[in-house]
Amino acid sequence: MTNQRRYDVVVVGAGIVGLAHAYHALNRGLSVAVVDHADRVAGASVQNFGHACITAQSGVAREYARTGREHWLDLSRKAGFWSSESGTYCVARHDDELAVLTEFAEVRGPSEVELLSRDRILAALPIAGDRVVGGMYMTDDLQVDPREAAPAIARWLEASGVEFFWRTAASGFDTGVVHTSRGYLRAGTVFVTVNCDIDRLFPEPAERGGLQRCRLHMMRARMPLSGPLPAPLFTGWSLVRYSGFENLPATATLAARLRDEYPDYVELDLHQMYTPQPDGSILLGDTHIRENTAEPFQSEEGFEVLLREAAALFGVPDVTVTERWQGVYSSAPESEFLIEELIDGVHIVTVTTGIGMTTGLGLAKDRIDHVFGRA
C-alpha cells in the first residue's frame, strides 16, 4: 500500500484513545485514517472492566472524564452499543474506609456523592452483611460492555467515512508521512495512540517517563447472588488506588492498615472491584504487576485471592469462572498521561494508567482542540 491520498488526520492505534481521536476529528469534518497492526480491536480496550470511573478521578484526568461522559452516551446511541448511567457503589467494611468515604463526600458534595448507611447499602447490593459499616454511591459513572463498545465504535467510524488499515504496522514517522508495513500514508496531523507499545516506536520519551507494562489478573464469573448487582462495586482497596481519594487525610490511615493486615495482597497490588455485565455475569479483578516486558506466565495466586475475596464479599459458596485473562496496559510512576510532539505534526498520546476508557474521549477532544483550535 502506497496511498497517495492525503488525510487531515492519521491515527496510529485502534484502541479507545485512537478511536476517540478519529471520532472527534470526524465530528469536525476532517478526513481520517486509522492504522492498526491487528485485524480488529484486541488490546486493553476490550480487556478491561468497561467502567467509566468518572467521580474517583482528580485534576486533569477528572476534567477529561467529565468531558468524555457525554461523548460515551453519544457514541452509544450512534454506534448502537449498550451503555448504562449506572453510577458506582462503594462498600465500607471498616471504620477507616467509612472515614475516607465521609471525607470524599464532603469534598465532592451531594451532586456527585451520596453517603449510604449500612442498611441502605445492604438493601441496594447483594452482598454479605458481615463487617459492613456503610457505603457511598457515585452518581455520574457510566458502564459499557468492554467486549462490544470499542469494536462497535470502529465499525461505526468506518461506516461514517473513516478509512481503516488493519494488519498494518506503523514503522516510522516524518512530518506529513506515516511509514507502515504496507507503504506510507500522507497526513496533515498524526496521533500515535498505541498504549504501552509506544516504547517500540518512541523509546526515548517512554524511558524518560518510566513507562512499563502493567499486567492484570482478570476474570469473568457467575455467582448465585441473592439479587442482581445493579452497578460497578468498589471496595476499600479502591480507595487507595484512585487519585480522587489520594490526598484525603483518612486515606493514609487506611493504606497503613491494609499494608499491615494484608501484606500479600499489597504485594499483588490488589484492586478488589466488580462490574456486572448485561448477560448477568460479573467481571472480577484485578492485580497489578509492572514490567518492561510482560511475563507471559501467570501465577494462580492472584486468581485465588480474587475468588476468595469475591466469595466472602457476596456470601456465596462458590464462584463459577467462565473466563480468565491477563490484561496489559501502560503504566508510569509520575504521570497519568504521556503527551509529546517529538516531530512536527506527530503527537504521542498515551494514557499511562488504567483509566483509558474513563478519560480517552475527553483526552482526545482536548488534543484535537489543541491542534485544530477550540470548536
Side-chain angles (χ1 to χ4, degrees):
M1 173 197 73
T2 299
N3 196 303
Q4 296 301 319
R5 182 180 171 189
R6 181 184 183 280
Y7 301 90
D8 297 320
V9 172
V10 171
V11 179
V12 178
I16 191 60
V17 175
L19 296 174
H21 280 81
Y23 159 74
H24 288 297
L26 181 69
N27 279 349
R28 284 175 169 258
L30 302 173
S31 59
V32 185
V34 177
V35 175
D36 198 279
H37 67 90
D39 66 354
R40 64 192 186 282
V41 182
S45 296
V46 296
Q47 297 168 0
N48 63 84
F49 286 102
H51 181 207
C53 176
I54 296 163
T55 311
Q57 310 305 324
S58 66
V60 69
R62 185 181 179 210
E63 294 174 16
Y64 292 155
R66 289 167 68 89
T67 298
R69 188 182 192 278
E70 65 178 280
H71 297 292
W72 268 119
L73 296 174
D74 177 59
L75 277 167
S76 175
R77 291 186 294 266
K78 289 176 176 175
F81 59 87
W82 173 82
S83 65
S84 173
E85 297 182 71
S86 60
T88 299
Y89 287 95
C90 181
V91 58
R93 293 176 291 169
H94 196 281
D95 287 342
D96 54 16
E97 297 173 3
L98 186 59
V100 175
L101 302 190
T102 302
E103 291 179 357
F104 187 65
E106 290 173 353
V107 171
R108 292 298 176 86
S111 65
E112 291 186 67
V113 177
E114 182 182 4
L115 275 181
L116 302 176
S117 67
R118 179 180 187 275
D119 288 345
R120 288 187 65 194
I121 193 90
L122 290 177
L125 302 174
I127 58 175
D130 300 347
R131 299 167 45 202
V132 172
V133 296
M136 74 173 173
Y137 178 66
M138 297 178 282
T139 58
D140 289 341
D141 293 6
L142 302 177
Q143 240 195 304
V144 298
D145 181 342
R147 308 289 179 89
E148 177 191 40
I153 292 170
R155 290 193 298 270
W156 176 78
L157 287 170
E158 191 161 23
S160 301
V162 174
E163 261 193 272
F164 279 78
F165 297 93
W166 298 106
R167 299 181 66 194
T168 303
S171 56
F173 304 87
D174 294 305
T175 297
V177 176
V178 179
H179 301 276
T180 82
S181 54
R182 298 180 186 271
Y184 64 86
L185 295 172
R186 298 190 180 279
T189 300
V190 179
F191 295 99
V192 185
T193 64
V194 293
N195 200 259
C196 52
D197 288 342
I198 199 66
D199 62 356
R200 296 171 180 172
L201 293 173
F202 293 98
E204 292 83 3
E207 290 169 2
R208 190 165 60 245
L211 187 144
Q212 293 184 301
R213 285 163 178 80
C214 182
R215 58 190 182 94
L216 323 171
H217 287 79
M218 294 282 293
M219 287 185 288
R220 190 184 193 117
R222 293 185 178 275
M223 291 181 271
L225 302 180
S226 59
L229 181 63
L233 175 58
F234 278 179
T235 64
W237 292 96
S238 311
L239 305 178
V240 296
R241 173 157 304 280
Y242 289 98
S243 61
F245 310 112
E246 187 174 17
N247 295 318
L248 299 173
T251 303
T253 302
L254 167 59
R257 195 259 302 172
L258 291 175
R259 284 195 300 270
D260 292 342
E261 195 170 337
Y262 301 100
D264 293 344
Y265 291 9
V266 172
E267 184 68 22
L268 286 169
D269 196 1
L270 178 70
H271 180 205
Q272 185 193 356
M273 73 168 288
Y274 309 89
T275 61
Q277 299 302 293
D279 67 354
S281 65
I282 296 175
L283 303 186
L284 283 64
D286 52 359
T287 61
H288 303 80
I289 302 165
R290 293 166 181 81
E291 303 162 320
N292 287 327
T293 300
E295 174 68 54
F297 308 107
Q298 202 166 13
S299 166
E300 275 295 297
E301 181 185 5
F303 293 121
E304 289 170 358
V305 166
L306 292 169
L307 291 170
R308 182 166 61 246
E309 290 300 315
L313 176 63
F314 290 98
V316 296
D318 60 82
V319 178
T320 302
V321 178
T322 57
E323 292 177 320
R324 302 172 188 242
W325 68 96
Q326 177 168 265
V328 179
Y329 62 70
S330 65
S331 175
E334 300 297 332
S335 175
E336 295 173 311
F337 306 98
L338 174 61
I339 300 171
E340 294 197 27
E341 184 181 4
L342 296 179
I343 301 168
D344 286 346
V346 179
H347 303 263
I348 300 168
V349 186
T350 299
V351 182
T352 55
T353 186
I355 57 173
M357 293 288 279
T358 298
T359 61
L361 284 162
L363 167 63
K365 185 177 189 309
D366 180 74
R367 292 295 87 200
I368 292 289
D369 288 350
H370 172 78
V371 173
F372 296 100
R374 302 281 168 184

